[in-house]
Amino acid sequence: MTVFLVVVGVLLALGLIGLLALFVLNGLATKPGRFAVREMSADAVSDYIDRRAAFAIEISETTPLSRREVWERLTQVPYLSSLPFLSGPDWTVSGSDRVAVGATRSMSGTILSVSQQVVGVVEREQLVLVGTGISLPWAIKDFAERFTITDGARLNTLTVTWEIAGSPRWVAFLPWRWCAPIARPVLAFVLRHILRLKAFRRPGTVAADQSRPS
């Protein structure tokens, strides 16, 4: 009986510690740029994705959407906000629909959020972003992502390629790229969600709808 009570006490203590940790992480996630990550230039992104990053993955999807619609979804729509426990990307650009080099955005989850800056833009063809900050201390050294839009193999289709790369701060020597097959289904689902045929609501649409008299 004594052993049973000890086990129950340990489990309750671990549960309490876990809840406290989630509470702290949730609080930190409200500020995606709280802890800076290593800066990266536009010229360094390709080599970083291909070779230097501890983890890197490439996902491609084909869509019948137009280039204009795909580009608007990548640069104007908070596509993660329609998924559970996620929000963003939230752009800090105001007064213009055009995203340029230097523009910043953030994405948030329940326990983690990140901030990014655009370092490369080819209108309706390519969007390159590098990490500028993260909500957790000592977690990630640097990260980058790149969207590339090309003509699809079939008529009136496009292929959207999404490349993501990053390195943890302390254990970057581990073979993180081996984890790509595990991450691929999740990230492929997100890319398919971005390219879904059903249109996303533009920012402010919901508020405008709610303000109309019934």
Side-chain angles (χ1 to χ4, degrees), residues 7 35 89 148 153 172 212:
V7 171
F35 300 99
T148 305
R212 293 172 184 166

Side-chain angles (χ1 to χ4, degrees):
M1 184 57 125
T2 302
V3 174
F4 174 75
L5 292 176
V6 170
V7 171
V8 171
V10 170
L11 291 177
L12 288 175
L14 290 175
L16 182 60
I17 293 172
L19 288 174
L20 181 61
L22 286 174
F23 178 78
V24 172
L25 292 175
N26 182 257
L28 290 174
T30 60
K31 293 186 177 180
R34 186 187 297 265
F35 300 99
V37 299
R38 189 180 69 89
E39 295 182 1
M40 190 184 316
S41 67
D43 294 338
V45 170
S46 290
D47 185 56
Y48 181 76
I49 293 174
D50 294 340
R51 186 178 60 86
R52 290 194 303 105
F55 172 83
I57 188 170
E58 177 183 308
I59 308 105
S60 294
E61 290 289 339
T62 299
T63 176
L65 295 172
S66 68
R67 282 184 179 268
R68 178 190 60 79
E69 179 64 25
V70 172
W71 189 253
E72 285 183 357
R73 292 191 180 189
L74 294 178
T75 61
Q76 298 179 33
V77 175
Y79 47 79
L80 292 180
S81 295
S82 52
L83 294 174
F85 312 115
L86 299 172
S87 66
D90 296 313
W91 292 87
T92 55
V93 175
S94 61
S96 174
D97 290 336
R98 183 169 181 173
V99 171
V101 171
T104 58
R105 72 178 193 177
S106 63
M107 297 178 287
S108 300
T110 303
I111 61 174
L112 178 68
S113 59
V114 301
S115 59
Q116 300 173 299
Q117 183 176 46
V118 176
V119 295
V121 177
V122 179
E123 188 78 12
R124 300 187 182 184
E125 292 184 17
Q126 191 171 80
L127 179 67
V128 186
L129 305 107
V130 300
T132 57
I134 190 169
S135 61
L136 294 180
W138 315 302
I140 296 178
K141 181 170 64 176
D142 44 31
F143 60 98
E145 64 178 315
R146 178 168 59 194
F147 291 93
T148 305
I149 306 169
T150 56
D151 292 333
R154 299 191 306 274
L155 185 64
N156 296 324
T157 64
L158 297 173
T159 296
V160 180
T161 301
W162 185 22
E163 299 165 279
I164 307 166
S167 299
R169 186 169 292 278
W170 300 114
V171 285
F173 60 88
L174 294 176
W176 293 103
R177 289 180 183 249
W178 293 1
C179 297
I182 300 174
R184 186 175 300 280
V186 176
L187 296 174
F189 169 79
V190 174
L191 182 56
R192 288 194 298 269
H193 176 71
I194 296 172
L195 301 175
R196 70 183 190 179
L197 297 183
K198 181 181 178 181
F200 284 90
R201 286 180 179 269
R202 296 295 186 267
T205 301
V206 175
D209 289 344
Q210 292 176 343
S211 65
R212 293 172 184 166
S214 57

